[in-house]
Amino acid sequence: MATERKSRRTTVADVARKAGVSAMTVSNVLNAPHRVSDQTVASVQAAIDELGYTPNHAARALSSGRSQVIGLPLYLDDDVDPGLGGFLHGLLGGLVKAAAVSGYGVHVTTPTEGKTEIALYEQLIAARQVDAIVVLETMPHDPRIEFLSAKGFPFVAFGRTGPGQRQCWVDVDNVESMAAIGRYLHTKGRSRAAYLRTMSELPWVHQREEGFRREFSAPHSTESFDDLDRVGAFVTAAMECEHRPDVFVADNDAFAVVAMRALQRLGVKAGEEVAVTGFNDFPFASMLDTPLTTARIPLRDIAHSLFQRALREIAGESDQPGCLVTAPLVVRASA
């Protein structure tokens, strides 16, 4: 008898009794954790861990008609920037962890040569391989969002969707996060700022510049770059001006690092006479000779929010406003 009890598969009812909740609550924790409190999720998860409960994903998929998988299409380039690679790795890791709690997997795929991302979406939907798709780096009037909306297929976007489209998105609050950098610099007495801007039409570029201008209404200068060498040349020239900047504010960490190297060649130590700030907090930012002050994009929080919004879309819940996540300031020696 003892052997029979030991070999019996742990059920949802067992977990419910252990956690002191209903079986429906356990089901919500597994399938729609956004419907229950964080305390209840923790209690049920503790019971799951103690009892060793493993959801029967195959049975759930058959009964629900769902795959229990979220799709994450990526363009994978052999020459991907190391900083961007770290960003994608952090986002993917957070998404996998958030999905695993609810018994979901993440299907990472990339378009084959000659195929578009939308063609990949068509393939995923036709094969019923995923229950929802995560769309990265959205643009205004994004054709990927228009396609998924027309199909009525669940999706969540990292980046804002356009007016008139479903507002199922999560994004960094670039405006407020950059404004927070500006406010901090003012407390340190910095007032003559040079802004180093990425030459791009990507929404985050404009948003970060807006946040900077909110705090520095009359900056020393604003310059756009599509080449790292030009950043260094600009910083060198700016330091030769009569009213030279007392801070270089970059909209990304790479530009900030180049600025610090240019200052170093001039015999100027970043963080003393002249400050430098970045944005993103890529892994190298804390390992520099002069560690970089920057805004840290909270990838785990973003990934968790993306998955929760995907679950709401899968469940067909009513549309809600998009979710903005602040990138907190990380103060280091460069400012």
Side-chain angles (χ1 to χ4, degrees), residues 278-300:
F279 202 110
N280 289 328
D281 197 27
F282 285 154
F284 59 74
S286 64
M287 299 184 288
L288 301 168
D289 291 340
T290 303
L292 178 64
T293 294
T294 185
R296 174 180 295 157
I297 296 183
L299 294 175
R300 287 191 178 183

PDB file of all heavy atoms in Angstrom, residues 278-300:
ATOM      1  N   GLY A 278      25.796  56.860 -19.767  1.00  0.00           N
ATOM      2  CA  GLY A 278      25.298  56.040 -20.866  1.00  0.00           C
ATOM      3  C   GLY A 278      23.858  55.628 -20.641  1.00  0.00           C
ATOM      4  O   GLY A 278      23.128  56.241 -19.848  1.00  0.00           O
ATOM      5  N   PHE A 279      23.462  54.562 -21.334  1.00  0.00           N
ATOM      6  CA  PHE A 279      22.099  54.039 -21.183  1.00  0.00           C
ATOM      7  C   PHE A 279      22.108  52.599 -21.678  1.00  0.00           C
ATOM      8  O   PHE A 279      22.610  52.306 -22.754  1.00  0.00           O
ATOM      9  CB  PHE A 279      21.101  54.853 -22.017  1.00  0.00           C
ATOM     10  CG  PHE A 279      19.672  54.766 -21.560  1.00  0.00           C
ATOM     11  CD1 PHE A 279      19.044  55.853 -20.975  1.00  0.00           C
ATOM     12  CD2 PHE A 279      18.940  53.594 -21.701  1.00  0.00           C
ATOM     13  CE1 PHE A 279      17.725  55.793 -20.548  1.00  0.00           C
ATOM     14  CE2 PHE A 279      17.628  53.515 -21.284  1.00  0.00           C
ATOM     15  CZ  PHE A 279      17.012  54.620 -20.700  1.00  0.00           C
ATOM     16  N   ASN A 280      21.545  51.690 -20.879  1.00  0.00           N
ATOM     17  CA  ASN A 280      21.359  50.251 -21.135  1.00  0.00           C
ATOM     18  C   ASN A 280      21.972  49.394 -20.042  1.00  0.00           C
ATOM     19  O   ASN A 280      21.426  48.381 -19.667  1.00  0.00           O
ATOM     20  CB  ASN A 280      21.958  49.781 -22.482  1.00  0.00           C
ATOM     21  CG  ASN A 280      21.187  50.270 -23.683  1.00  0.00           C
ATOM     22  OD1 ASN A 280      19.976  50.430 -23.622  1.00  0.00           O
ATOM     23  ND2 ASN A 280      21.892  50.535 -24.770  1.00  0.00           N
ATOM     24  N   ASP A 281      23.166  49.779 -19.544  1.00  0.00           N
ATOM     25  CA  ASP A 281      23.931  48.987 -18.578  1.00  0.00           C
ATOM     26  C   ASP A 281      24.285  47.621 -19.151  1.00  0.00           C
ATOM     27  O   ASP A 281      23.983  46.581 -18.553  1.00  0.00           O
ATOM     28  CB  ASP A 281      23.195  48.829 -17.246  1.00  0.00           C
ATOM     29  CG  ASP A 281      24.143  48.387 -16.123  1.00  0.00           C
ATOM     30  OD1 ASP A 281      25.337  48.693 -16.227  1.00  0.00           O
ATOM     31  OD2 ASP A 281      23.683  47.728 -15.170  1.00  0.00           O
ATOM     32  N   PHE A 282      24.936  47.642 -20.316  1.00  0.00           N
ATOM     33  CA  PHE A 282      25.474  46.410 -20.867  1.00  0.00           C
ATOM     34  C   PHE A 282      26.536  45.853 -19.921  1.00  0.00           C
ATOM     35  O   PHE A 282      27.114  46.594 -19.125  1.00  0.00           O
ATOM     36  CB  PHE A 282      26.066  46.664 -22.245  1.00  0.00           C
ATOM     37  CG  PHE A 282      25.031  46.839 -23.327  1.00  0.00           C
ATOM     38  CD1 PHE A 282      25.315  47.578 -24.460  1.00  0.00           C
ATOM     39  CD2 PHE A 282      23.774  46.259 -23.216  1.00  0.00           C
ATOM     40  CE1 PHE A 282      24.374  47.733 -25.476  1.00  0.00           C
ATOM     41  CE2 PHE A 282      22.818  46.410 -24.211  1.00  0.00           C
ATOM     42  CZ  PHE A 282      23.112  47.142 -25.341  1.00  0.00           C
ATOM     43  N   PRO A 283      26.833  44.543 -19.990  1.00  0.00           N
ATOM     44  CA  PRO A 283      27.725  43.904 -19.008  1.00  0.00           C
ATOM     45  C   PRO A 283      29.076  44.589 -18.835  1.00  0.00           C
ATOM     46  O   PRO A 283      29.624  44.607 -17.727  1.00  0.00           O
ATOM     47  CB  PRO A 283      27.888  42.489 -19.574  1.00  0.00           C
ATOM     48  CG  PRO A 283      26.616  42.232 -20.306  1.00  0.00           C
ATOM     49  CD  PRO A 283      26.230  43.550 -20.908  1.00  0.00           C
ATOM     50  N   PHE A 284      29.629  45.169 -19.897  1.00  0.00           N
ATOM     51  CA  PHE A 284      30.953  45.780 -19.780  1.00  0.00           C
ATOM     52  C   PHE A 284      30.937  47.083 -19.002  1.00  0.00           C
ATOM     53  O   PHE A 284      31.998  47.587 -18.606  1.00  0.00           O
ATOM     54  CB  PHE A 284      31.557  46.022 -21.170  1.00  0.00           C
ATOM     55  CG  PHE A 284      30.737  46.924 -22.058  1.00  0.00           C
ATOM     56  CD1 PHE A 284      30.688  48.288 -21.853  1.00  0.00           C
ATOM     57  CD2 PHE A 284      30.007  46.392 -23.121  1.00  0.00           C
ATOM     58  CE1 PHE A 284      29.935  49.124 -22.676  1.00  0.00           C
ATOM     59  CE2 PHE A 284      29.255  47.218 -23.953  1.00  0.00           C
ATOM     60  CZ  PHE A 284      29.227  48.584 -23.726  1.00  0.00           C
ATOM     61  N   ALA A 285      29.768  47.678 -18.770  1.00  0.00           N
ATOM     62  CA  ALA A 285      29.693  49.021 -18.178  1.00  0.00           C
ATOM     63  C   ALA A 285      30.315  49.089 -16.791  1.00  0.00           C
ATOM     64  O   ALA A 285      30.911  50.101 -16.414  1.00  0.00           O
ATOM     65  CB  ALA A 285      28.243  49.490 -18.120  1.00  0.00           C
ATOM     66  N   SER A 286      30.183  48.013 -16.027  1.00  0.00           N
ATOM     67  CA  SER A 286      30.714  48.010 -14.652  1.00  0.00           C
ATOM     68  C   SER A 286      32.162  47.547 -14.586  1.00  0.00           C
ATOM     69  O   SER A 286      32.778  47.591 -13.519  1.00  0.00           O
ATOM     70  CB  SER A 286      29.846  47.111 -13.765  1.00  0.00           C
ATOM     71  OG  SER A 286      29.916  45.758 -14.220  1.00  0.00           O
ATOM     72  N   MET A 287      32.732  47.105 -15.709  1.00  0.00           N
ATOM     73  CA  MET A 287      34.074  46.522 -15.698  1.00  0.00           C
ATOM     74  C   MET A 287      35.140  47.444 -16.286  1.00  0.00           C
ATOM     75  O   MET A 287      36.286  47.047 -16.452  1.00  0.00           O
ATOM     76  CB  MET A 287      34.063  45.185 -16.461  1.00  0.00           C
ATOM     77  CG  MET A 287      33.135  44.149 -15.834  1.00  0.00           C
ATOM     78  SD  MET A 287      33.197  42.536 -16.648  1.00  0.00           S
ATOM     79  CE  MET A 287      32.347  42.895 -18.185  1.00  0.00           C
ATOM     80  N   LEU A 288      34.770  48.657 -16.620  1.00  0.00           N
ATOM     81  CA  LEU A 288      35.722  49.613 -17.170  1.00  0.00           C
ATOM     82  C   LEU A 288      36.659  50.136 -16.079  1.00  0.00           C
ATOM     83  O   LEU A 288      36.347  50.039 -14.885  1.00  0.00           O
ATOM     84  CB  LEU A 288      34.960  50.782 -17.794  1.00  0.00           C
ATOM     85  CG  LEU A 288      33.983  50.420 -18.917  1.00  0.00           C
ATOM     86  CD1 LEU A 288      33.096  51.623 -19.233  1.00  0.00           C
ATOM     87  CD2 LEU A 288      34.731  49.954 -20.150  1.00  0.00           C
ATOM     88  N   ASP A 289      37.798  50.701 -16.491  1.00  0.00           N
ATOM     89  CA  ASP A 289      38.704  51.305 -15.505  1.00  0.00           C
ATOM     90  C   ASP A 289      37.977  52.371 -14.697  1.00  0.00           C
ATOM     91  O   ASP A 289      38.177  52.509 -13.488  1.00  0.00           O
ATOM     92  CB  ASP A 289      39.915  51.920 -16.219  1.00  0.00           C
ATOM     93  CG  ASP A 289      40.831  50.867 -16.819  1.00  0.00           C
ATOM     94  OD1 ASP A 289      40.756  49.705 -16.375  1.00  0.00           O
ATOM     95  OD2 ASP A 289      41.604  51.193 -17.738  1.00  0.00           O
ATOM     96  N   THR A 290      37.151  53.155 -15.396  1.00  0.00           N
ATOM     97  CA  THR A 290      36.233  54.069 -14.725  1.00  0.00           C
ATOM     98  C   THR A 290      34.830  53.554 -14.992  1.00  0.00           C
ATOM     99  O   THR A 290      34.290  53.754 -16.079  1.00  0.00           O
ATOM    100  CB  THR A 290      36.370  55.508 -15.272  1.00  0.00           C
ATOM    101  OG1 THR A 290      37.717  55.951 -15.125  1.00  0.00           O
ATOM    102  CG2 THR A 290      35.433  56.453 -14.533  1.00  0.00           C
ATOM    103  N   PRO A 291      34.225  52.840 -14.038  1.00  0.00           N
ATOM    104  CA  PRO A 291      32.894  52.248 -14.275  1.00  0.00           C
ATOM    105  C   PRO A 291      31.869  53.307 -14.682  1.00  0.00           C
ATOM    106  O   PRO A 291      31.904  54.443 -14.211  1.00  0.00           O
ATOM    107  CB  PRO A 291      32.552  51.616 -12.923  1.00  0.00           C
ATOM    108  CG  PRO A 291      33.889  51.314 -12.318  1.00  0.00           C
ATOM    109  CD  PRO A 291      34.767  52.470 -12.730  1.00  0.00           C
ATOM    110  N   LEU A 292      30.964  52.902 -15.572  1.00  0.00           N
ATOM    111  CA  LEU A 292      30.061  53.846 -16.238  1.00  0.00           C
ATOM    112  C   LEU A 292      28.751  54.044 -15.476  1.00  0.00           C
ATOM    113  O   LEU A 292      28.067  53.080 -15.110  1.00  0.00           O
ATOM    114  CB  LEU A 292      29.750  53.324 -17.646  1.00  0.00           C
ATOM    115  CG  LEU A 292      28.787  54.144 -18.502  1.00  0.00           C
ATOM    116  CD1 LEU A 292      29.380  55.517 -18.793  1.00  0.00           C
ATOM    117  CD2 LEU A 292      28.477  53.399 -19.800  1.00  0.00           C
ATOM    118  N   THR A 293      28.392  55.300 -15.280  1.00  0.00           N
ATOM    119  CA  THR A 293      27.061  55.659 -14.781  1.00  0.00           C
ATOM    120  C   THR A 293      26.078  55.534 -15.945  1.00  0.00           C
ATOM    121  O   THR A 293      26.306  56.089 -17.017  1.00  0.00           O
ATOM    122  CB  THR A 293      27.045  57.099 -14.244  1.00  0.00           C
ATOM    123  OG1 THR A 293      27.889  57.164 -13.085  1.00  0.00           O
ATOM    124  CG2 THR A 293      25.639  57.535 -13.865  1.00  0.00           C
ATOM    125  N   THR A 294      24.991  54.817 -15.719  1.00  0.00           N
ATOM    126  CA  THR A 294      24.083  54.510 -16.825  1.00  0.00           C
ATOM    127  C   THR A 294      22.702  54.157 -16.278  1.00  0.00           C
ATOM    128  O   THR A 294      22.498  54.090 -15.064  1.00  0.00           O
ATOM    129  CB  THR A 294      24.660  53.336 -17.654  1.00  0.00           C
ATOM    130  OG1 THR A 294      23.857  53.106 -18.798  1.00  0.00           O
ATOM    131  CG2 THR A 294      24.750  52.059 -16.830  1.00  0.00           C
ATOM    132  N   ALA A 295      21.763  53.958 -17.184  1.00  0.00           N
ATOM    133  CA  ALA A 295      20.420  53.497 -16.801  1.00  0.00           C
ATOM    134  C   ALA A 295      20.335  52.012 -17.125  1.00  0.00           C
ATOM    135  O   ALA A 295      20.672  51.595 -18.236  1.00  0.00           O
ATOM    136  CB  ALA A 295      19.348  54.271 -17.554  1.00  0.00           C
ATOM    137  N   ARG A 296      19.913  51.230 -16.174  1.00  0.00           N
ATOM    138  CA  ARG A 296      19.868  49.770 -16.342  1.00  0.00           C
ATOM    139  C   ARG A 296      18.493  49.333 -16.830  1.00  0.00           C
ATOM    140  O   ARG A 296      17.480  49.527 -16.146  1.00  0.00           O
ATOM    141  CB  ARG A 296      20.187  49.062 -15.030  1.00  0.00           C
ATOM    142  CG  ARG A 296      20.018  47.540 -15.086  1.00  0.00           C
ATOM    143  CD  ARG A 296      20.356  46.904 -13.755  1.00  0.00           C
ATOM    144  NE  ARG A 296      21.759  47.083 -13.451  1.00  0.00           N
ATOM    145  CZ  ARG A 296      22.279  47.045 -12.222  1.00  0.00           C
ATOM    146  NH1 ARG A 296      21.473  46.867 -11.183  1.00  0.00           N
ATOM    147  NH2 ARG A 296      23.571  47.191 -12.031  1.00  0.00           N
ATOM    148  N   ILE A 297      18.443  48.729 -18.011  1.00  0.00           N
ATOM    149  CA  ILE A 297      17.176  48.199 -18.511  1.00  0.00           C
ATOM    150  C   ILE A 297      16.857  46.922 -17.741  1.00  0.00           C
ATOM    151  O   ILE A 297      17.619  45.953 -17.794  1.00  0.00           O
ATOM    152  CB  ILE A 297      17.251  47.932 -20.017  1.00  0.00           C
ATOM    153  CG1 ILE A 297      17.456  49.255 -20.769  1.00  0.00           C
ATOM    154  CG2 ILE A 297      15.993  47.236 -20.504  1.00  0.00           C
ATOM    155  CD1 ILE A 297      17.487  49.136 -22.260  1.00  0.00           C
ATOM    156  N   PRO A 298      15.742  46.890 -16.997  1.00  0.00           N
ATOM    157  CA  PRO A 298      15.419  45.743 -16.128  1.00  0.00           C
ATOM    158  C   PRO A 298      14.824  44.587 -16.933  1.00  0.00           C
ATOM    159  O   PRO A 298      13.609  44.432 -17.025  1.00  0.00           O
ATOM    160  CB  PRO A 298      14.418  46.333 -15.138  1.00  0.00           C
ATOM    161  CG  PRO A 298      13.723  47.410 -15.911  1.00  0.00           C
ATOM    162  CD  PRO A 298      14.731  47.959 -16.894  1.00  0.00           C
ATOM    163  N   LEU A 299      15.674  43.764 -17.516  1.00  0.00           N
ATOM    164  CA  LEU A 299      15.220  42.735 -18.458  1.00  0.00           C
ATOM    165  C   LEU A 299      14.298  41.714 -17.810  1.00  0.00           C
ATOM    166  O   LEU A 299      13.359  41.231 -18.437  1.00  0.00           O
ATOM    167  CB  LEU A 299      16.436  42.050 -19.079  1.00  0.00           C
ATOM    168  CG  LEU A 299      17.292  42.954 -19.978  1.00  0.00           C
ATOM    169  CD1 LEU A 299      18.534  42.219 -20.446  1.00  0.00           C
ATOM    170  CD2 LEU A 299      16.477  43.444 -21.169  1.00  0.00           C
ATOM    171  N   ARG A 300      14.549  41.345 -16.577  1.00  0.00           N
ATOM    172  CA  ARG A 300      13.674  40.359 -15.923  1.00  0.00           C
ATOM    173  C   ARG A 300      12.265  40.914 -15.726  1.00  0.00           C
ATOM    174  O   ARG A 300      11.280  40.208 -15.953  1.00  0.00           O
ATOM    175  CB  ARG A 300      14.270  39.930 -14.581  1.00  0.00           C
ATOM    176  CG  ARG A 300      15.475  39.015 -14.707  1.00  0.00           C
ATOM    177  CD  ARG A 300      15.857  38.411 -13.376  1.00  0.00           C
ATOM    178  NE  ARG A 300      16.988  37.499 -13.499  1.00  0.00           N
ATOM    179  CZ  ARG A 300      17.487  36.802 -12.494  1.00  0.00           C
ATOM    180  NH1 ARG A 300      16.952  36.926 -11.278  1.00  0.00           N
ATOM    181  NH2 ARG A 300      18.512  35.993 -12.686  1.00  0.00           N
TER     182      ARG A 300
END
